[in-house]
Amino acid sequence: LYSTYLGGFGNELCWDLAVDSAGRATLTGSTAAADFPTTPGAFDTSLDSWYDAFVTRFNADASALEYSTFIGGDNADYSHAVAVDSAGNATITGYTHSPNFPVTPDAADSSYDAQEIFNAKLNTDGSALSYASFLGGADSEYTTDIAVDDTGRVYLTGTTRSPDFPVTVGAFDTTYNTTADYSGDAFLL
């Protein structure tokens, strides 16, 4: 039905997409291109480091961008997954090396410890962050997928190398089990 390029003069890594009920594709990934196409009024229209996360929404026939924005801080930021809720809000997850990643005042975790997971929700037109937070422990974490249910609850999965990764009381497994330096435990949040 259609095929199009997306990018600038630099490297782009597109990791995931979600299609809403109107047929609009929302893509996420990372870019090193300062001229990556952003839209007027988008949350962030300038590359902040050598790699920033991006979120781009096409219209239903991919003839135009509804919005396109960078998300990141002063160091590398990588978005790996996107989900779109019934209201059209895009929520992304990935990992960041940026202590100044733009977390919101109501963030569950606003302190950067190491390579951190981030979870960020954009409003429907991509002009603002509705919510953004770090998540992790003293070592590194990676996320691989995200889902949003009908109530708007967000689910994340990935790998952690942090024995102090935040777990809840009564969870299936509250003990960090990995002893090898190069691997980690899976998590579901």
Side-chain angles (χ1 to χ4, degrees):
L1 296 176
Y2 64 76
S3 179
T4 186
Y5 289 110
L6 174 67
F9 189 73
N11 193 32
E12 278 83 34
L13 305 167
C14 188
W15 290 105
D16 198 16
L17 71 93
V19 179
D20 64 19
S21 60
R24 302 174 305 177
T26 302
L27 289 71
T28 195
S30 302
T31 181
D35 64 342
F36 185 86
T38 58
T39 52
F43 169 69
D44 185 355
T45 58
S46 61
L47 185 70
D48 298 311
S49 72
W50 58 282
Y51 261 102
D52 266 0
F54 70 83
V55 181
T56 300
R57 176 169 293 158
F58 284 93
N59 64 357
D61 66 0
S63 63
L65 299 179
E66 292 197 358
Y67 71 78
S68 186
T69 185
F70 294 108
I71 299 177
D74 290 341
N75 292 316
D77 310 289
Y78 302 95
S79 180
H80 281 192
V82 62
V84 177
D85 64 23
S86 60
N89 303 299
T91 303
I92 62 169
T93 187
Y95 64 95
T96 180
H97 296 278
S98 299
N100 67 333
F101 187 88
V103 296
T104 53
D106 59 345
D109 182 355
S110 60
S111 62
Y112 179 86
D113 297 314
Q115 176 180 297
E116 292 274 359
I117 294 169
F118 68 81
N119 175 33
K121 179 180 179 179
L122 285 159
N123 63 355
T124 57
D125 66 2
S127 64
L129 288 177
S130 301
Y131 177 79
S133 181
F134 293 122
L135 175 69
D139 207 326
S140 58
E141 282 82 30
Y142 304 86
T143 53
T144 55
D145 206 2
I146 189 171
V148 178
D149 68 17
D150 292 339
T151 67
R153 184 174 292 185
V154 176
Y155 302 85
L156 306 175
T157 188
T159 302
T160 181
R161 293 182 183 161
S162 298
D164 63 339
F165 187 85
V167 294
T168 55
V169 175
F172 171 72
D173 185 355
T174 59
T175 304
Y176 184 74
N177 300 294
T178 301
T179 57
D181 290 338
Y182 58 86
S183 59
D185 272 11
F187 69 83
L188 170 63
L189 171 69

